[in-house]
Amino acid sequence: MTHDSEPEVVGDGIYIPATDDDMKSEDLIDHKSSLHFVMNNSQTAVYSSNDDTFGQEFTPIDCELEELLKFEDHFTQGERSDAVVDTTVDLGKLNPKFEEVTRSESTPVGGQIDQSGDRKEADPLLEPAESEPSTSTVCASWKPDFSMLKGEICLDNLSVRELHATFKATFGRETSVKDKQWLKRRISMGLSNSCDVSSTTFIIENNKVKKKDNVEDCNSEDKNHNKNSVTGHEGRNVTGDNNTSLGDSQTIQMEGHYSGGNKTVQSATPKHYIAFEDDNQGNKRVRKPTRRYIEEVSESDSRENSGRLVSSVKSSGNGPRTRVRPVHNIQPIRKPLATRQDSLGGSWVEIPYVSRIRRGRPRENFLTLMPCEMGTTERLVKKAHDGHDPQSDNEIENEECKVTTAAGWLQHPLIKESGENEQYSEQSADLNNNSDGGNVNSYADIDSDDNILTVPTAKGGMRRKHHRPWTLSEVAMLVEGVSKYGAGRWSEIKRIAFATCSHRTSVDLKDKWRNLLRASFAQLPAEKGVQNSKKHSSIPIPAPILLRVRELAETQSQVSPDLKAVKSGSNINDIRSGFL
DNA sequence: TTTAGGG
DNA sequence: CCCTAAA
């Protein structure tokens, strides 16, 4: 569908096929379930799949799925708007006109599904690119050329030189490693990665890529399909000019089975992966490193570049309380693929940085972003939740926040009023922020044990993933709390006023107060631009609240001398009387 | 643990 | 928002 517009896109994800999208797919696939999504227009999209025919069966509804993915993400845009690959999708568009939306929107990350699903005619070899290299990239111009692979691969018979050639054909780059064993391992690994050897038609056995005899599921249609595709691939492999010819004597050929662009998912664990490092494991299936693995290594290699696989993986433990903090994550989509060096199997190889988009279950908590005040929808949707997802808790909390608010923390109708407005602008501001830079990234599940904590900002900065914009009601509660207990009694305020909002810690309150303070005094001299001049992309705090903050600050002598000087210039009492 | 302040 | 030093 969209492939016409970007035929030159060269997949380079072959290094690390296990993308987040895989993970997504994994969810879908492994559960062997059908997902029903109800769209706005009450259309129902159904996605069903099974492992072996993912790509093929997917086609008819891929658009919808794509939409679904967006759809799903869309709901996260408010508070975690970065989450979406394409933030421009409007809910209103999730209507009958799927195609339109699909066409007009690009889905950089959703490429996995997008590309292979959409392009049934397209090149199945194209690994969905982590980023779509626009022009010159380290590996932009390369893609694995398996077209010469037919039959069985017997790496053992190859000379080092041949292995080099094969290596290049497989990975698209040269290697200087002379170790045959290593080369063989890497090649077979690469092959397995790109062809889904392990889970489909091929198995790797003693450095041989063999075709399973007993596999037939995907032979009939798939064969044709893939053959065509392979051919097409060859033809389009314009950029692969330096693909090393393996020579006529080569026996390396592969009768293509590419499970629909690597659709099959492997829930590879580092363990498995490492296991493969050992030679001669008979029929053990090859696992490819998960993105998780890569990320972790990528994290750890910044400090210990000699880190053994085992150690890096293990040390980064997946313990519930472990907070993985990726050092380099997320390259803006569409930027040249960034790679890093990593020692795999004993040599340094390039591995693309991966962006942690979102992993794990499909998001089911898209309403978290809803401000506390928005009760109705929230409640409705809440029903859809399992209730055990941590996110759900937050929603409950949010709702409770709201209740609390209504219960009396907010005694100033005026504030409340402007609050409503602000809610809106707050969210839209957030949305805008996230889509403006052209890089759209996703928030991971905020509460998932392991998730991304930072997200690139349009300005290049990294914003923390955990950032949950303060809603006005929260701010109001904070203010009230301060007025009641005094600034500094954060734990008290937390305990009382924010008892139900567990996601705000006392430290958060303190920080927020600090900000409020700053804001209130900073904006006062102007005294007119007020909240509308939200140049700072953050929540525009309504003037009334800011005034209150100032007042409280004064009362509690929190005002720094210089600020005092500033503020003394304006007549607070007038304003104050107006609101209180 | 809670506060305060720096990053 | 996160981290840490202090209390």
Side-chain angles (χ1 to χ4, degrees):
Chain A
M1 179 170 286
T2 58
H3 63 287
D4 287 336
S5 52
E6 41 188 7
E8 77 291 356
V9 172
V10 175
D12 48 23
I14 190 155
Y15 292 133
I16 313 299
T19 63
D20 277 330
D21 298 299
D22 284 335
M23 304 306 280
K24 274 183 189 171
S25 305
E26 182 173 26
D27 283 300
L28 300 177
I29 292 172
D30 283 353
H31 301 159
K32 290 203 161 65
S33 61
S34 296
L35 300 184
H36 297 250
F37 289 83
V38 180
M39 307 308 222
N40 279 356
N41 57 354
S42 72
Q43 280 192 11
T44 301
V46 182
Y47 163 54
S48 61
S49 71
N50 62 54
D51 280 307
D52 295 316
T53 54
F54 187 100
Q56 300 135 38
E57 297 197 345
F58 201 73
T59 317
I61 51 172
D62 49 27
C63 292
E64 289 179 347
L65 179 70
E66 185 180 344
E67 273 321 300
L68 292 176
L69 294 177
K70 291 179 186 173
F71 185 74
E72 170 203 10
D73 279 338
H74 177 82
F75 286 96
T76 69
Q77 289 183 19
E79 229 181 52
R80 38 172 91 170
S81 42
D82 287 357
V84 197
V85 162
D86 190 333
T87 43
T88 61
V89 179
D90 186 283
L91 270 184
K93 288 186 181 175
L94 290 175
N95 273 342
K97 312 216 167 188
F98 288 123
E99 307 93 322
E100 272 188 28
V101 180
T102 305
R103 218 185 308 268
S104 58
E105 312 292 350
S106 60
T107 312
V109 170
Q112 187 82 353
I113 284 155
D114 181 10
Q115 294 186 359
S116 12
D118 257 2
R119 319 175 182 183
K120 95 170 84 171
E121 299 289 304
D123 191 340
L125 280 181
L126 291 184
E127 292 287 340
E130 280 306 315
S131 59
E132 293 176 350
S134 47
T135 40
S136 61
T137 308
V138 196
C139 36
S141 60
W142 168 87
K143 57 189 168 191
D145 187 358
F146 292 114
S147 55
M148 76 274 282
L149 306 181
K150 280 179 190 157
E152 191 177 86
I153 299 177
C154 187
L155 299 172
D156 284 317
N157 296 336
L158 302 182
S159 67
V160 172
R161 195 177 156 194
E162 289 166 327
L163 284 172
H164 276 184
T166 310
F167 185 95
K168 184 166 183 180
T170 306
F171 295 104
R173 63 178 192 80
E174 312 270 11
T175 179
S176 56
V177 179
K178 305 245 168 29
D179 181 352
K180 272 177 115 176
Q181 274 303 326
W182 183 88
L183 285 168
K184 287 187 281 189
R185 278 202 308 238
R186 290 230 42 87
I187 291 169
S188 43
M189 220 163 1
L191 291 176
S192 67
N193 278 344
S194 45
C195 304
D196 257 330
V197 174
S198 56
S199 58
T200 52
T201 315
F202 292 91
I203 57 173
I204 288 192
E205 190 172 25
N206 293 328
N207 286 324
K208 293 185 180 183
V209 180
K210 292 182 178 177
K211 197 171 158 192
K212 293 180 193 168
D213 338 60
N214 53 346
V215 181
E216 15 182 14
D217 20 351
C218 34
N219 271 354
S220 52
E221 179 205 325
D222 202 25
K223 219 163 196 170
N224 299 328
H225 174 81
N226 283 313
K227 283 212 166 144
N228 292 337
S229 304
V230 171
T231 306
H233 167 68
E234 256 178 10
R236 298 201 297 165
N237 192 10
V238 192
T239 49
D241 47 299
N242 56 352
N243 271 330
T244 306
S245 160
L246 288 175
D248 298 339
S249 61
Q250 286 305 326
T251 58
I252 298 186
Q253 303 238 352
M254 184 171 285
E255 206 167 321
H257 169 84
Y258 308 100
S259 62
N262 201 29
K263 269 296 174 244
T264 312
V265 177
Q266 320 236 336
S267 55
T269 67
K271 198 173 174 185
H272 287 121
Y273 178 65
I274 293 164
F276 179 71
E277 291 284 314
D278 299 330
D279 274 353
N280 309 326
Q281 315 156 51
N283 289 325
K284 270 185 187 166
R285 292 196 163 186
V286 185
R287 310 311 282 259
K288 54 195 170 191
T290 53
R291 170 170 294 194
R292 168 73 166 277
Y293 161 77
I294 294 156
E295 290 160 5
E296 285 167 349
V297 173
S298 129
E299 176 182 13
S300 59
D301 82 344
S302 65
R303 46 175 188 266
E304 45 162 344
N305 48 12
S306 62
R308 199 59 247 162
L309 294 184
V310 190
S311 59
S312 0
V313 169
K314 291 210 168 156
S315 61
S316 58
N318 305 323
R321 261 319 280 175
T322 306
R323 223 154 169 182
V324 181
R325 192 153 191 172
V327 173
H328 357 252
N329 49 5
I330 312 215
Q331 288 288 325
I333 299 182
R334 294 231 124 108
K335 266 184 74 181
L337 181 63
T339 61
R340 62 187 170 76
Q341 296 282 306
D342 181 30
S343 65
L344 271 185
S347 174
W348 291 94
V349 297
E350 277 184 347
I351 294 183
Y353 284 127
V354 286
S355 59
R356 310 176 126 209
I357 299 308
R358 109 169 261 288
R359 164 167 46 230
R361 289 160 282 162
R363 182 173 292 106
E364 40 188 332
N365 34 18
F366 43 81
L367 271 213
T368 315
L369 59 113
M370 291 308 202
C372 288
E373 280 82 354
M374 320 196 78
T376 34
T377 340
E378 190 175 347
R379 212 165 288 132
L380 283 178
V381 181
K382 218 173 81 182
K383 290 180 181 173
H385 293 234
D386 284 1
H388 256 85
D389 190 307
Q391 198 77 36
S392 300
D393 294 333
N394 283 319
E395 275 170 34
I396 296 173
E397 288 158 14
N398 276 336
E399 187 169 351
E400 285 172 353
C401 275
K402 161 197 155 202
V403 172
T404 309
T405 302
W409 278 102
L410 267 184
Q411 302 146 357
H412 310 295
L414 208 157
I415 294 181
K416 174 74 174 175
E417 220 174 273
S418 50
E420 298 282 336
N421 296 332
E422 287 317 304
Q423 290 299 331
Y424 181 81
S425 43
E426 169 186 347
Q427 279 197 35
S428 50
D430 198 38
L431 285 177
N432 292 332
N433 285 340
N434 292 314
S435 51
D436 61 0
N439 56 0
V440 264
N441 299 278
S442 40
Y443 275 121
D445 291 339
I446 292 186
D447 309 81
S448 291
D449 36 76
D450 63 329
N451 53 46
I452 309 69
L453 298 172
T454 164
V455 102
T457 268
K459 297 130 195 162
M462 285 304 224
R463 189 177 69 185
R464 290 195 177 292
K465 277 267 169 125
H466 258 37
H467 178 46
R468 188 179 300 210
W470 277 70
T471 66
L472 275 149
S473 59
E474 284 176 317
V475 171
M477 284 192 292
L478 175 60
V479 171
E480 289 305 304
V482 169
S483 73
K484 211 165 186 175
Y485 301 94
R489 312 277 280 271
W490 306 120
S491 64
E492 273 291 296
I493 299 175
K494 205 283 175 194
R495 182 161 41 246
I496 309 299
F498 286 79
T500 52
C501 294
S502 67
H503 56 279
R504 302 293 185 203
T505 70
S506 56
V507 176
D508 292 328
L509 303 188
K510 179 218 58 178
D511 287 334
K512 186 55 182 178
W513 181 255
R514 189 192 352 186
N515 290 336
L516 285 176
L517 226 53
R518 191 186 301 126
S520 68
F521 283 109
Q523 158 246 73
L524 223 93
E527 194 57 88
K528 48 185 159 197
V530 198
Q531 72 264 32
N532 286 338
S533 61
K534 48 164 183 223
K535 287 291 277 185
H536 311 292
S537 77
S538 56
I539 327 172
I541 309 292
I545 293 185
L546 288 180
L547 288 173
R548 193 86 198 294
V549 170
R550 262 185 58 220
E551 168 191 327
L552 289 171
E554 267 183 3
T555 298
Q556 309 183 20
S557 62
Q558 291 186 335
V559 192
S560 65
D562 33 322
L563 282 182
K564 222 162 202 163
V566 175
K567 134 224 136 207
S568 61
S570 63
N571 188 342
I572 303 162
N573 291 323
D574 290 345
I575 304 159
R576 188 152 121 218
S577 58
F579 297 113
L580 308 177

